[in-house]
DNA sequence: GCGTAACGTTACGCCCGGGTAGGTATGCTG
DNA sequence: CAGCATACCTACCCGGGCGTAACGTTACGC
C-alpha cells in the first residue's frame, strides 16, 4: 500500500541483536522465564518473532545469552574494582562497593534475572558457575589477608566464610532492589560493617568506615 | 475384571493428602515448579490426577500448600529454639543451629522449594513474607542485644544487618544442600563465627565456640 | 537496472500439560 | 440388603505458546 515512511526499520544485525537482548532481559525480569512469551519479547523489541529465532535462537538460548551478558558485566566490574596491592579490608570494600553500584544501576535488568536463574534447571549450572567464581575471588582475598595475620583456617573453612559473605551481599542486593531509594554506597558500608567487624563489635558501638573520601 | 487384591487402597482423606503433599514437594523440588507436571505428582503419590485436584485443588494452590507447610515448619522450629533469657550470642546460636538442622534434615524437600519460590510471581509474596518474619526476629534480637551494650544504631541499620545475616544463613544452607556430607552443627558454628566475630578477627585467629557441649 | 542476499512478515502446525466430565468400586448405616 | 457417601479411575477437552514454512521488501554490488 505504501512505500512511504518505512520509517525506522531495516537495521543492521548487530543493532537488532542488542535491542532483542535488552527486550528479552526486560521481559524476562518482568514476567519470569516461563511466563515470558517469545511473542512479547519480539513485540517489545519492535520486531516479529521469527527474527528473534533467526538471530538469537530458541527461548532457552536467548535466556542464556541474557544471563551470560549480565554475568560477565557484573564479574568484570567487580574484578576491575579491586586494587591488588591494597590491604584486605580496602580490597573487600572496593569489590563490595562496585557490586552494589552495578546492582543499583541495573535493578530492573539484573537482580531479577539473578533471582530467576536459580532453580530453573537448565540455567542453574550457569549461575552457580558465576557464583563459584565470586566465592573463589573472596576466598583468595581472605586467604591472602590471613597469611601474616597469625590466623589459621583450612581451605574449606575459608570457602564457607566466603559463601556466607557472598550470601550476605546478595541478600542486601535483593533488599536494595526492593528499596529503590536506598543508597548503594551506604548499603555497601553497612555490608562491610557486619562482614568485617561482626555483629558483636557492631552492637557495642564499633564502626568501620572507608578511609579516604569516595567520589559520589 | 478383578475384585481380588484391592491391596493397599482406599485410604482416608487425611492420609492421602499427606502423601500427595509429600509427593508434590518431592517432584517440585526435583523438577522445579513449571517442569513439574500434575501427572507426575499424581503418579508419585500412587493416585490418579483427579484425586489431586479433588483434595488439594489447582496446581498453584498445591504448590502454595507445600510452601506454607514447609515455611511454618521452619519458622516454628527456629522460633522454638531460642531461649528468651539467654545472652544474645547464645540466642543467635540456637536459632542458627536449629535452622541448619531443619535444612539438613529436609535437604530434598526444603531448600529446593525455597530456591524455587523466589521469582515465581504468584509465590514470591508468600516467601518474602516468611523471610520478613525471619528478619524481624533477628532484628529484635539484635536490638535487645544492643541496649545496655553502649551501641547505637537506627532501626533500619539493624534491619539491614539482619538482612545480611539471614542472607548469609541462606547461602550456607544452599551450600550445605550441595555438600550432603557437611555437618550441620559445624556449618552453624562457622556461620556464627563470621556473623558474630566478623572477618577481621576471624582471620587473626579468634574463634567463637558454643559454650556448653551440645547434644549430637 | 537487475540479481541476490540480508532484513523482515504473516500465518500456521503441533505438542504438552492443566483441568474436568462422567462412571465404578467399596465401605458404612439402617 | 438397600441406599448413600466417599474414595477412586479412564478418558477426554482445549488453550497457550514454542518453533517454522513460505512469502514480501529494501539495499547493494556490478
Amino acid at each position: 500500500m505504501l512505500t512511504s515512511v518505512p520509517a525506522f526499520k531495516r537495521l543492521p544485525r548487530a543493532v537488532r541483536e542488542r535491542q532483542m537482548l535488552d527486550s528479552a532481559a526486560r521481559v524476562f525480569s518482568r514476567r519470569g522465564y516461563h511466563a515470558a512469551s517469545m511473542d512479547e519479547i519480539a513485540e517489545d523489541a519492535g520486531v516479529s518473532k521469527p527474527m528473534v529465532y533467526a538471530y538469537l535462537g530458541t527461548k532457552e538460548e536467548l535466556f542464556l545469552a541474557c544471563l551470560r551478558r549480565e554475568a560477565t558485566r557484573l564479574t568484570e566490574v567487580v574484578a576491575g574494582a579491586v586494587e591488588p596491592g591494597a590491604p584486605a579490608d580496602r580490597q573487600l570494600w572496593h569489590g563490595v562497593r562496585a557490586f552494589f553500584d552495578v546492582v543499583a544501576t541495573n535493578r530492573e535488568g539484573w537482580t531479577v534475572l539473578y533471582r530467576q536463574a536459580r532453580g530453573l534447571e537448565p540455567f542453574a549450572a550457569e549461575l552457580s558457575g558465576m557464583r563459584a567464581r565470586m566465592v573463589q575471588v573472596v576466598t583468595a582475598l581472605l586467604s591472602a589477608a590471613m597469611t601474616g595475620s597469625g590466623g589459621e583456617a583450612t581451605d574449606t573453612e575459608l570457602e564457607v566464610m566466603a559463601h556466607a559473605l557472598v550470601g550476605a551481599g546478595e541478600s542486601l542486593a535483593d533488599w536494595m532492589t526492593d528499596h529503590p531509594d536506598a543508597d548503594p554506597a551506604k548499603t555497601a558500608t553497612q555490608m562491610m560493617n557486619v562482614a568485617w567487624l561482626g555483629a558483636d563489635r557492631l552492637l557495642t558501638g564499633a564502626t568501620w568506615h572507608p578511609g579516604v573520601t569516595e567520589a559520589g
Side-chain angles (χ1 to χ4, degrees), chain A:
Chain A
M1 188 181 278
L2 44 79
T3 48
S4 63
V5 193
F8 324 86
K9 302 240 162 179
R10 210 118 186 130
L11 302 177
R13 176 166 184 151
V15 176
R16 272 278 130 94
E17 282 190 355
R18 274 191 73 103
Q19 291 180 350
M20 287 174 183
L21 281 175
D22 291 344
S23 293
R26 191 155 41 232
V27 174
F28 279 134
S29 78
R30 252 205 300 271
R31 307 267 188 233
Y33 177 72
H34 287 276
S37 72
M38 292 299 265
D39 295 83
E40 185 177 356
I41 292 171
E43 186 189 346
D44 184 288
V47 123
S48 80
K49 200 167 39 161
M51 276 282 95
V52 180
Y53 280 89
Y55 284 176
L56 279 323
T58 187
K59 185 182 185 182
E60 195 169 315
E61 292 167 341
L62 176 57
F63 187 73
L64 217 54
C66 293
L67 209 61
R68 292 222 174 90
R69 190 172 66 152
E70 304 295 342
T72 54
R73 180 190 309 190
L74 182 66
T75 50
E76 276 172 11
V77 169
V78 170
V82 298
E83 27 183 353
D89 67 327
R90 290 213 62 76
Q91 287 197 45
L92 190 57
W93 162 247
H94 280 116
V96 167
R97 181 92 168 76
F99 172 74
F100 283 108
D101 276 350
V102 172
V103 173
T105 309
N106 256 36
R107 288 173 216 271
E108 177 231 26
W110 225 135
T111 310
V112 194
L113 261 183
Y114 193 75
R115 290 210 261 230
Q116 292 297 329
R118 312 173 65 108
L120 281 299
E121 247 334 298
F123 315 113
E126 192 76 17
L127 233 285
S128 90
M130 179 200 113
R131 206 172 189 280
R133 287 196 297 281
M134 280 280 209
V135 168
Q136 219 171 11
V137 169
V138 177
T139 306
L141 196 157
L142 295 175
S143 177
M146 195 180 56
T147 55
S149 298
E152 29 185 278
T154 73
D155 283 1
T156 48
E157 278 171 348
L158 286 179
E159 194 193 318
V160 167
M161 205 169 144
H163 267 277
L165 260 44
V166 169
E170 287 171 357
S171 179
L172 287 187
D174 272 10
W175 177 84
M176 235 175 49
T177 53
D178 296 339
H179 297 244
D181 50 341
D183 177 22
K186 190 176 177 188
T187 310
T189 306
Q190 291 175 290
M191 162 86 197
M192 278 301 291
N193 270 290
V194 58
W196 195 251
L197 297 184
D200 175 26
R201 269 190 293 187
L202 260 192
L203 293 173
T204 60
T207 53
W208 179 96
H209 62 94
V212 298
T213 37
E214 297 285 325

